[in-house]
Amino acid sequence: SHARADFGWGPLHARAFYTGIDGSAGTWYYKTGATNLGGAVNSDVLDTTIDGYWRLGQTGNHQLAAGVGYRYKTVEWDFLAEPSYQQHHLNGYIQDQADLGPVIVNAAARVDKHPLITQPLPSARLALIVKVGEGRSVRLNGGTAFRTPTFMESYSHIYIDTDTDGIYALSHGDDDLLPERIAAIEA
């Protein structure tokens, strides 16, 4: 199920959405006598954000955007170490785009707070666009990003037997995993 609501008032915009999953997951085939990896899965996500957009400068050549967000996530799944987990995520960002004639500068910074990671997770982006002629421009981008661990990576606990006596596979999540990070530059 999915529902979304948006509300705007002047320079402010609020959005909220809910996504729910209630079903079963697993392989469509498994060998007779092997572990059936099927199981019930229930997940809910509630996300809310409030953003603001303003034009600044005497000629309105600065477009400033800023916002904050909150996300609540919960999951119940047979393959997790505990019957259910819930997480509270926070984020905030600020972005400015300045039109300076033949040069456009776009700078943004964001900070996320993940419940399993003690330090805030910053990311930034800078883009420089230079118009070099009619219909031509050069763009230089730089930025950082991250991907936080999923529920499965953090909390999984799956026991899978094999055809060999005494040998089995165990998938065991790690709630101390650090986020994957990337830094990128492109022209």
Side-chain angles (χ1 to χ4, degrees), residues 19 33 45 55 61 64 66 75-76 79 95 114 137 146 151 157 176 186:
T19 300
V45 175
R55 285 202 172 274
N61 62 331
L64 182 68
V75 67
E76 296 175 14
F79 298 130
Q95 175 178 313
H114 188 282
S137 61
F146 60 88
F151 278 123
H157 189 82
D176 289 328
E186 65 181 15

Side-chain angles (χ1 to χ4, degrees), residues 132-148:
V132 293
E134 186 66 34
R136 293 188 174 93
S137 61
V138 175
R139 181 179 179 114
L140 180 63
N141 293 324
T144 62
F146 60 88
R147 184 191 72 83
T148 55

Side-chain angles (χ1 to χ4, degrees), residues 15-38:
R15 182 196 76 209
F17 73 81
Y18 165 81
T19 300
I21 297 171
D22 184 5
S24 47
T27 58
W28 62 273
Y29 168 80
Y30 63 96
K31 190 164 63 171
T32 302
T35 302
N36 179 356
L37 295 178

